[in-house]
Amino acid sequence: MFSLDWWGLVLPLCYVVVLGGTFMTFSTIYRKRKAMESANLAPWFPPHLQRNIYLSLLHMEPEGGSEKAPKVPESVVRAALLRRAVEDIHRIIQIRTAKAACSSLLQRGSVGDDLWQRFQRAEKEMEEELRDVVMEANALAPNWGQTIFQSANEILANATLKERLDEIQAQTEKEKEWWEKRRTSIKTEFMKELGDDTEKVTSGDEPVLVDTNTPSATPSATPSGASKKKKGKK
Amino acid sequence: MSAEYAYDEDGHLWPFFVFTLALIVTVPLTFSLVNRSRDPAAAFKRIQTSYKHDQADLVDTLRKKEKRKNRKIWLIILVLAGWATMGQMLYLIKTTVAPEAKLWNPYDILNIPESATEKQIKSTYKKLSLKFHPDKAKPDPAKNLTIEDISAHYVEISKAYQALTDAEIRENYIRYGHPDGKQGYSINIALPKIIVSEGNGKYIVLLYSALFGVLLPYLVGSWWYGTLRRSKEGVLMESANRLFREYKDNIDEGGIITALSTGKEFEDLLKGDKADAGLAKLESKILAEGELSPFAGGLSVKDKEKLQNLESGPQRKALALLWAYLGRVELDDAALTRAKFEVAPIAEALNKAFTAISLAYMNTAPLLASYYTSQLLIQALPPKSSPLLQLPYVNSKVVKAVEGDSRVHTTVQKFMDMPDSKRRSLAVGKGLLTEAQYKEAVSVAKQLPYLRVAKAFFKVTGEKYIIPSSLVTLVVKGRFVPPGSEKVPEVNEIDLEDVDPAEDDLDAILGRKTKKQIGKDEKGKPILESTSDEPILPPLAAAPYLARDHSPRWHVFLTDSKQGRVAVPPFTFAQFDRPIFEADGKTPTFAMQTLKAQFQAPPQAGHYTFVMHVVCDSYVGFDTKMEVTLIVEEASKAEEMSSEEEISEPEEDSIAGIMNAAKGGAPPKPKKRKEVAKVESEEESDEESGTDEDDDDTSDTNTDTEAED
């Protein structure tokens, strides 16, 4: 029989243990850190105010002395659900438009991986949210779930339009003010010119409401025409 | 007679090894160091001006600091160490005497000339054997001569004699260089003996494990996490993520400025108490009433609300500093002023990331807004302010005097197009510009590179018609006409043509991929970028407030005005094929520049009207926007026309012919049979050109646009 030199084996065994140990520690630490990171990812959307309102309306706590919770009128609950649907539509549109951009940017390396993870989580959450809204709607009124998002979509479109209009309307005061000032200044200039006949009209023909982009407007006519001409020749 | 491996005991080999190793490492490092320390901005011309604003020195210091940051101390140390090692090794190589391996030479041993006759050899041998025979010679301890040495010497002598006289041994000598036949050889390993000597083993193992167990993983890890940390645009990944979140379809320049302030870079810049120091003062300064805009910082009411809704911290301070920078607000505080000039280049870099993000959405408005923001950041102008402020010494009072109470801003071009007397009467005066300042402003304006587009058209190289899905080239012809240039020559009609390279012009055909850089001279011969005449770089942007050197770029892209979508993503041009200014750097050449961009034509025939934007990223008001129409003909129509006009078939020996044959196409028909085979062969060639262009399609076209129109 041959005898084993146990002491000679200590070194290789140590090597294997150290190597294995290093890999194990690395992988556990790495995984833990990854899990921590993905758990701490900030949500894509801010807290869903409309959903919170709706849920708190549904589950009203009984107040002070009374035993029963205050009865919330059906119409209020429905309105709250509709508001929630409007906000959902708003969010789903954001996600839809951002999806293609986000994935292409991720491929190019212009945005990070954790953004994509957050994005996908938000997407899943939105799916759940939509399903939940449909179920709630069906519970409140039969078959409402099929139409609630259509109405919500229209409400949203209307709201955006109104917002835009308000923005434009808000400028009217300033514009009016400017125009009054401008008119008086032009008037005084004309008066001056009328009084002083010999002076030539110089500032009167200054463009008043002409679009600024004249440098762009001038070449636009010629080149396209020229290129058309060229193509026609051939 | 065996091969033996020996370590380098007398140290005459390992210096060579170390020298080579050091050479391999040091030379590339030195090269990169030299490359780095060369100022990249030195290659650019500058716009000549003597203008210095109040903080010009501060901006200069910041610029220099940035350049210094690019120099790496460790690199310098490493290179120095490398050269020192190499010097040391050279010295060792020179001083160490290598043991000579002597050739066995019988004549030398017998001490006779090689021309000696047999007789002489015999007599010499006899003489020597008498003298050195072990029986005759006595060991001499004084000379350290033992009996072994004596007998060995005698054996040598007899061997030498035999090698010269005995036929067999002579044969051995001739073949192997030694009378005994084949000799053993030794191989030396160019490592010092120290490495393997007893007791050093553990240190070597330690060194080895440190190299491969610690240093290698560290280097790989730091490289990998370094790439993860920064996005493709060179900003921190976290900043890019935040910018993506800030993107909105209706974002304007002010909104982008606010979005840029979310960058993580600002948190690093405004660490600790810097995040809040002087914030109140700063905000009161930028929100003070401005001369041209409601607030001194140039921000709109909406932007002000956004600023005030922020929590105080680095972001709020960065945003306030950015507005102070854009509004050119005096801050009367050294630290704040310095920070003000430091945030702008960071915002400029972040804006590049934002451009990439808005490009991914393919919406026109945010993309344009992002380019405009770049202009504003480089020129230190608030949104919707007068482009005249780009000129030196021009301040809000001058702008007011020039523009009056007109709502539309006077661009630099418009201002410079006025007759000199009118310009002067408007701008020069008490409280306005002095005569010298006015001259300086005009001189700078006359050096600004304004690209005036003369013509823009579409074409397919080598084809007369644009057929669906072909690779279309957008050719933009334009000249650099600085504002206020006098005696601008008429556009030469020949310059506007874009002649295809000849079919047998191999360079041009192979250079098709780098089409962007190819230009044409007057005779229509293509100039490749790689030819001896270097690409022409435009002068560095005249941006006295930006603490960086910036080389202007021009972006050309097509949009669909009805949908507000980008149809063809931007092509960026930073260099040109023809000189912009004469050698003195001031006189414009008015040479026709050619910008080319390739993209794939829509798959359906029809007329497509695009809006072409040519945007310069450095100057406000130098953009061009014009309508261009892309006419895509039915493939069948193009065939008809071409058969009427009889385009030449590829000749057998031309490249097109070879390619045709290589693709398995029918070999070109002889001329006589052409009439019969025309229709058929033309069909083939058309098909082929179509597929060909599909293959090397480089630009992605917006499919939405095509489908709708």
Side-chain angles (χ1 to χ4, degrees):
Chain A
M1 286 300 282
F2 62 95
S3 64
L4 259 178
D5 179 8
W6 288 104
W7 279 111
L9 272 182
V10 166
L11 200 68
L13 280 178
C14 269
Y15 176 76
V16 169
V17 168
V18 166
L19 200 71
T22 324
F23 279 133
M24 292 256 287
T25 345
F26 175 76
S27 106
T28 41
I29 289 178
Y30 183 76
R31 274 161 201 240
K32 251 184 211 165
R33 219 188 259 179
K34 271 263 151 159
M36 275 278 279
E37 263 174 26
S38 64
N40 287 342
L41 283 181
W44 188 271
F45 291 112
H48 201 316
L49 180 70
Q50 283 78 2
R51 182 179 61 192
N52 294 350
I53 291 176
Y54 174 76
L55 289 179
S56 46
L57 279 178
L58 271 192
H59 309 285
M60 288 285 263
E61 292 287 323
E63 264 178 54
S66 64
E67 272 176 27
K68 264 177 82 183
K71 176 95 177 114
V72 181
E74 186 90 333
S75 60
V76 173
V77 176
R78 279 189 199 176
L81 186 64
L82 202 56
R83 282 274 148 223
R84 182 178 162 188
V86 169
E87 177 63 22
D88 284 347
I89 288 278
H90 184 64
R91 290 182 175 198
I92 205 96
I93 287 175
Q94 270 184 26
I95 282 190
R96 289 253 168 90
T97 52
K99 187 165 188 187
C102 190
S103 69
S104 76
L105 283 170
L106 181 76
Q107 272 175 13
R108 258 185 278 162
S110 293
V111 296
D113 201 33
D114 49 340
L115 186 84
W116 181 244
Q117 280 177 17
R118 281 164 71 186
F119 185 80
Q120 280 182 322
R121 188 182 294 175
E123 207 179 2
K124 261 182 214 139
E125 265 174 31
M126 280 318 295
E127 268 171 35
E128 291 297 316
E129 168 71 16
L130 290 188
R131 207 167 296 141
D132 190 46
V133 168
V134 169
M135 269 159 60
E136 294 278 336
N138 279 337
L140 283 176
N143 284 336
W144 191 29
Q146 287 164 11
T147 53
I148 181 168
F149 281 114
Q150 281 176 24
S151 1
N153 197 9
E154 267 152 41
I155 291 172
L156 183 72
N158 193 19
T160 12
L161 184 70
K162 259 190 194 158
E163 205 177 299
R164 189 92 193 86
L165 274 180
D166 284 346
E167 225 169 79
I168 295 168
Q169 290 284 332
Q171 288 175 5
T172 43
E173 275 309 307
K174 255 167 71 188
E175 301 274 322
K176 257 188 202 161
E177 205 176 290
W178 174 81
W179 175 240
E180 286 302 323
K181 210 174 132 200
R182 177 92 188 142
R183 201 167 60 174
T184 45
S185 77
I186 291 173
K187 223 185 233 171
T188 47
E189 256 171 56
F190 271 127
M191 288 304 180
K192 232 193 268 166
E193 274 163 28
L194 281 178
D196 190 17
D197 266 339
T198 48
E199 207 181 37
K200 266 193 176 176
V201 184
T202 45
S203 53
D205 61 352
E206 203 179 307
V208 181
L209 282 174
V210 177
D211 186 43
T212 10
N213 295 331
T214 26
S216 58
T218 18
S220 73
T222 31
S224 58
S227 67
K228 259 182 219 159
K229 214 191 290 165
K230 200 186 167 200
K231 263 159 209 153
K233 247 191 278 172
K234 280 178 186 173
Chain B
M1 278 202 202
S2 66
E4 54 183 72
Y5 293 89
Y7 283 87
D8 189 16
E9 274 176 69
D10 6 78
H12 66 281
L13 280 181
W14 67 267
F16 283 97
F17 173 70
V18 175
F19 179 81
T20 320
L21 215 65
L23 192 80
I24 290 171
V25 176
T26 316
V27 166
L29 283 182
T30 313
F31 184 73
S32 82
L33 183 74
V34 169
N35 239 0
R36 227 179 245 261
S37 50
R38 213 191 307 136
D39 186 6
F44 288 86
K45 290 209 174 96
R46 279 157 199 280
I47 284 180
Q48 294 162 21
T49 171
S50 57
Y51 170 64
K52 272 188 179 246
H53 56 87
D54 301 340
Q55 270 106 26
D57 292 335
L58 176 60
V59 173
D60 268 351
T61 352
L62 289 176
R63 273 184 202 164
K64 284 205 186 101
K65 191 180 153 208
E66 175 65 20
K67 275 177 203 155
R68 248 179 283 133
K69 222 164 77 182
N70 279 337
R71 269 177 236 155
K72 295 252 164 78
I73 292 294
W74 62 265
L75 194 65
I76 296 173
I77 292 172
L78 212 63
V79 166
L80 285 182
W83 285 107
T85 321
M86 279 159 69
Q88 173 79 12
M89 289 307 124
L90 270 183
Y91 175 75
L92 277 182
I93 287 168
K94 223 168 165 214
T95 49
T96 318
V97 188
E100 274 180 60
K102 263 195 166 176
L103 275 181
W104 192 84
N105 190 344
Y107 293 100
D108 280 355
I109 293 170
L110 295 178
N111 201 14
I112 45 171
E114 294 199 12
S115 57
T117 59
E118 204 165 322
K119 220 175 162 186
Q120 280 174 317
I121 296 171
K122 267 187 185 167
S123 68
T124 320
Y125 171 63
K126 278 191 180 140
K127 258 187 248 163
L128 285 174
S129 54
L130 278 176
K131 196 178 168 192
F132 289 108
H133 196 276
D135 296 348
K136 295 275 172 7
K138 287 278 167 298
D140 184 357
K143 281 182 188 164
N144 211 2
L145 208 66
T146 60
I147 190 84
E148 281 83 25
D149 289 338
I150 291 166
S151 57
H153 191 210
Y154 182 69
V155 169
E156 281 291 293
I157 290 171
S158 27
K159 262 189 203 166
Y161 172 66
Q162 279 173 342
L164 295 177
T165 51
D166 191 298
E168 195 184 318
I169 295 173
R170 195 183 174 82
E171 175 76 4
N172 264 345
Y173 167 59
I174 289 167
R175 279 181 69 178
Y176 303 113
H178 201 275
D180 292 345
K182 213 173 181 178
Q183 294 292 298
Y185 56 94
S186 75
I187 295 172
N188 281 354
I189 297 169
L191 289 176
K193 180 100 190 198
I194 275 183
I195 286 183
V196 279
S197 61
E198 200 62 33
N200 284 345
K202 46 183 178 288
Y203 298 114
I204 299 296
V205 169
L206 210 66
L207 187 75
Y208 174 85
S209 54
L211 270 181
F212 286 90
V214 181
L215 194 67
L216 193 71
Y218 173 76
L219 285 179
V220 171
S222 61
W223 167 78
W224 173 247
Y225 285 106
T227 55
L228 281 191
R229 226 164 69 85
R230 297 211 167 252
S231 82
K232 205 176 129 240
E233 282 74 31
V235 303
L236 290 176
M237 205 53 111
E238 180 61 31
S239 309
N241 292 354
R242 290 183 196 171
L243 283 177
F244 185 82
R245 299 290 315 281
E246 294 290 323
Y247 172 88
K248 291 197 181 56
D249 278 343
N250 55 357
I251 199 161
D252 62 352
E253 290 89 333
I256 292 180
I257 299 285
T258 311
L260 295 182
S261 69
T262 57
K264 198 170 163 49
E265 277 89 344
F266 294 120
E267 285 171 23
D268 299 339
L269 180 74
L270 306 167
K271 257 187 246 148
D273 60 339
K274 268 191 183 173
D276 293 313
L279 185 58
K281 183 183 167 194
L282 182 61
E283 280 186 17
S284 70
K285 286 255 179 198
I286 59 167
L287 296 178
E289 202 178 326
E291 285 176 67
L292 290 172
S293 49
F295 304 109
L299 55 172
S300 68
V301 180
K302 219 164 71 183
D303 299 325
K304 179 195 155 204
E305 275 169 17
K306 276 187 200 153
L307 172 68
Q308 287 177 334
N309 285 341
L310 288 176
E311 281 172 39
S312 61
Q315 193 196 343
R316 187 162 175 166
K317 174 133 182 216
L319 186 54
L321 284 170
L322 271 177
W323 284 119
Y325 168 77
L326 293 177
R328 301 182 184 178
V329 180
E330 288 292 331
L331 293 176
D332 320 320
D333 181 329
L336 282 181
T337 313
R338 194 186 167 84
K340 175 178 96 168
F341 287 113
E342 275 172 340
V343 292
I346 298 176
E348 210 264 320
L350 287 171
N351 187 44
K352 286 209 184 85
F354 191 85
T355 309
I357 289 165
S358 52
L359 190 58
Y361 277 96
M362 295 292 262
N363 286 329
T364 312
L367 183 65
L368 272 176
S370 143
Y371 283 142
Y372 293 155
T373 310
S374 154
Q375 299 171 353
L376 300 175
L377 283 169
I378 287 170
Q379 293 294 342
L381 292 178
K384 299 191 183 63
S385 61
S386 169
L388 285 181
L389 290 166
Q390 297 175 97
L391 300 179
Y393 301 112
V394 172
N395 54 25
S396 46
K397 283 200 192 90
V398 181
V399 169
K400 250 187 198 164
V402 173
E403 291 185 348
D405 50 358
S406 157
R407 294 223 87 182
V408 291
H409 290 301
T410 313
T411 60
V412 178
Q413 297 93 295
K414 244 190 189 172
F415 176 66
M416 293 300 290
D417 281 346
M418 293 177 191
D420 188 55
S421 56
K422 191 178 176 199
R423 250 176 6 214
R424 201 178 289 259
S425 70
L426 281 173
V428 179
K430 211 174 161 221
L432 304 175
L433 298 179
T434 65
E435 190 60 36
Q437 288 174 341
Y438 168 76
K439 271 199 184 128
E440 183 65 38
V442 167
S443 129
V444 168
K446 282 188 178 175
Q447 294 177 57
L448 299 182
Y450 167 50
L451 183 67
R452 189 188 281 173
V453 176
K455 190 180 175 185
F457 56 94
F458 297 98
K459 67 166 215 170
V460 177
T461 314
E463 302 280 334
K464 294 205 167 171
Y465 294 95
I466 297 166
I467 55 168
S469 302
S470 55
L471 193 64
V472 184
T473 311
L474 165 67
V475 184
V476 180
K477 293 273 183 180
R479 300 183 299 172
F480 281 101
V481 184
S485 300
E486 286 139 18
K487 292 187 228 127
V488 182
E490 285 287 305
V491 175
N492 189 350
E493 281 298 322
I494 301 163
D495 280 348
L496 292 179
E497 304 261 320
D498 189 59
V499 185
D500 286 337
E503 220 168 55
D504 57 347
D505 194 342
L506 195 63
D507 283 343
I509 289 168
L510 291 179
R512 207 176 271 171
K513 276 166 204 147
T514 54
K515 200 95 220 177
K516 268 200 289 183
Q517 279 90 22
I518 299 178
K520 314 243 182 265
D521 63 14
E522 288 84 349
K523 287 165 201 147
K525 271 193 183 164
I527 310 167
L528 281 161
E529 194 202 9
S530 54
T531 48
S532 58
D533 43 339
E534 282 178 18
I536 306 297
L537 301 166
L540 287 179
Y545 292 93
L546 186 73
R548 289 280 187 287
D549 286 324
H550 183 84
S551 159
R553 290 155 192 278
W554 280 261
H555 306 281
V556 178
F557 58 103
L558 299 180
T559 61
D560 184 339
S561 58
K562 278 171 241 156
Q563 298 182 18
R565 305 268 296 166
V566 177
V568 175
F571 287 82
T572 304
F573 300 90
Q575 53 195 31
F576 298 89
D577 44 13
R578 309 274 302 274
I580 299 167
F581 291 102
E582 303 281 6
D584 66 350
K586 272 183 130 174
T587 330
T589 58
F590 304 115
M592 187 63 74
Q593 310 283 356
T594 311
L595 309 180
K596 286 187 178 182
Q598 280 191 327
F599 61 95
Q600 203 184 6
Q604 269 99 37
H607 288 227
Y608 298 86
T609 305
F610 296 116
V611 179
M612 185 187 75
H613 293 265
V614 180
V615 181
C616 175
D617 71 346
S618 305
Y619 298 104
V620 178
F622 277 22
D623 314 320
T624 310
K625 186 176 157 191
M626 59 195 265
E627 262 188 13
V628 285
T629 308
L630 171 64
I631 301 167
V632 180
E633 303 280 7
E634 292 284 356
S636 57
K637 191 190 167 196
E639 264 165 45
E640 261 169 46
M641 301 292 252
S642 55
S643 66
E644 276 165 27
E645 283 178 33
E646 244 185 64
I647 48 162
S648 67
E649 274 179 70
E651 298 276 326
E652 222 162 331
D653 51 358
S654 76
I655 287 156
I658 293 164
M659 300 237 295
N660 194 27
K663 279 174 193 152
K669 272 90 186 166
K671 295 249 158 147
K672 283 175 221 157
R673 284 170 53 201
K674 200 172 167 186
E675 292 295 314
V676 194
K678 199 198 294 166
V679 181
E680 185 196 343
S681 78
E682 232 119 51
E683 248 169 31
E684 262 167 29
S685 74
D686 263 326
E687 266 168 29
E688 253 153 34
S689 70
T691 48
D692 190 3
E693 274 137 12
D694 272 332
D695 288 343
D696 56 12
D697 163 43
T698 48
S699 65
D700 39 343
T701 322
N702 179 12
T703 41
D704 287 1
T705 328
E706 294 150 13
E708 294 292 317
D709 275 28

